[in-house]
Amino acid sequence: MTYLLWPQHANGTRQEFSPTLTPYLAERNDKHSAIIVCPGGGYHRRAQHEGEPVALWLNSLGISAFVLDYRVSPNRHPAPLSDCQRAIRFVKHHSEQWNIDKYKVGILGFSAGGHLAASASTLHRLRFYEASDLIDQENARPDLAILCYPVISLMDHFHEGSLHNLLGEYPPDQLRAALSNEKNVTDSTPPTFLWHTADDASVPVENSLMYAQALSKKKIPFEMHIFPSGRHGLGLAKDDPAVSKWSDLCETWLASQGFGE
């Protein structure tokens, strides 16, 4: 079953205006962890190979997953982040129904979805939409984050497509800086796992490096892996023997955070 995040505002059947959350529940009877998956796509689309296959991988670790179809262009900020905050609150609100530990709800994002996940990690104290029901009383802070070749900055080494799709053609510097997540890490940013390839031609590796440095300055626990080579958008990277190791490394890290079996 797929859930409308905003049933009271549903506008026809166009997903761009009716963001959804699709559960992939782990087969277990005890309280367990969950992770919301944000596919990439430059805030223009949502890449399918970064959605369901990733959710099924998380299921294999004993983690329930939820794939978020957030709003993309022509919608602008704060629509995607509103959807992301709502999704976190939605999972926490329904945690009893799904046998999920509401204090173990993480977020995972690829590329522009990584920017969204990082924004949810750093800006969770801010509300980007008006509360409308009991779901919106839940805390929007994710308990951990996994950022895969993420867009982090909209000021330096930025991905032009993500910037323009999210903020328009000529966004003011003040807005670009406000959504550059290397500037937004705080003491309450959750533990984070990052990976990137050094020769990523679309989203420069500096994005992950800057975010890791910001995490280090705030003493936020993190783990980062930079692989020497690999194209952008690899997802689980099943066809790349070297880069595909990221999921094994992430599994170990997740276990250290109390997520999984």
Side-chain angles (χ1 to χ4, degrees):
M1 181 175 181
T2 293
Y3 295 87
L4 286 171
L5 283 178
W6 314 95
Q8 66 273 42
H9 302 304
N11 182 4
T13 58
R14 292 185 60 189
Q15 277 196 332
E16 287 79 7
F17 300 96
S18 299
T20 60
L21 194 64
T22 304
Y24 293 80
L25 300 177
E27 294 183 5
R28 52 192 302 174
N29 297 318
D30 57 334
K31 281 242 191 286
H32 61 284
S33 53
I35 292 178
I36 295 164
V37 179
C38 304
Y43 284 117
H44 172 67
R45 62 185 182 92
R46 294 161 300 270
Q48 290 187 353
H49 74 287
E50 295 168 348
E52 183 177 66
V54 178
L56 295 176
W57 163 65
L58 290 168
N59 286 170
S60 76
L61 308 183
I63 300 170
S64 283
F66 296 81
V67 175
L68 174 61
D69 272 355
Y70 54 91
R71 282 171 288 178
V72 294
S73 180
N75 295 280
R76 304 284 189 238
H77 173 73
L81 187 49
S82 297
D83 295 341
C84 193
Q85 287 192 335
R86 175 75 173 184
I88 294 168
R89 292 182 169 120
F90 193 96
V91 172
K92 291 183 177 183
H93 184 75
H94 294 285
S95 58
E96 288 295 325
Q97 172 187 339
W98 293 318
N99 223 7
I100 286 167
D101 183 344
K102 71 184 298 183
Y103 300 104
K104 288 186 179 179
V105 176
I107 193 146
L108 182 158
F110 295 87
S111 192
H115 180 266
L116 184 55
S119 299
S121 298
T122 59
L123 301 174
H124 57 86
R125 288 172 169 165
L126 304 178
R127 186 179 283 275
F128 289 91
Y129 64 93
E130 289 187 15
S132 61
D133 55 22
L134 289 176
I135 292 171
D136 293 329
Q137 304 308 311
E138 299 284 352
N139 190 328
R141 178 185 181 271
D143 296 295
L144 59 71
I146 300 166
L147 308 181
C148 311
Y149 41 87
V151 174
I152 292 293
S153 184
L154 299 182
M155 294 292 289
D156 301 306
H157 307 285
F158 60 91
H159 179 248
E160 193 168 338
S162 295
L163 169 67
H164 293 156
N165 286 324
L166 183 63
L167 301 182
E169 287 300 311
Y170 302 104
D173 284 349
Q174 184 177 1
L175 182 57
R176 291 175 64 176
L179 290 169
S180 291
N181 287 304
E182 78 280 10
K183 302 176 183 295
N184 296 332
V185 172
T186 69
D187 294 339
S188 65
T189 298
T192 303
F193 180 97
L194 301 112
W195 74 270
H196 222 115
T197 56
D199 64 352
D200 189 318
S202 297
V203 176
V205 69
E206 282 82 0
N207 282 266
S208 283
L209 295 172
M210 287 188 294
Y211 197 70
Q213 186 176 36
L215 292 169
S216 180
K217 283 182 179 178
K218 290 294 184 180
K219 296 183 168 47
I220 303 298
F222 73 93
E223 180 171 326
M224 179 170 66
H225 297 276
I226 306 297
F227 298 94
S229 183
R231 64 173 175 80
H232 185 72
L234 282 170
L236 289 173
K238 293 295 188 184
D239 296 329
D240 190 317
V243 180
S244 66
K245 299 292 189 218
W246 82 262
S247 59
D248 294 331
L249 294 164
C250 189
E251 177 182 356
T252 301
W253 179 79
L254 282 165
S256 76
Q257 301 296 317
F259 277 58
E261 298 290 357

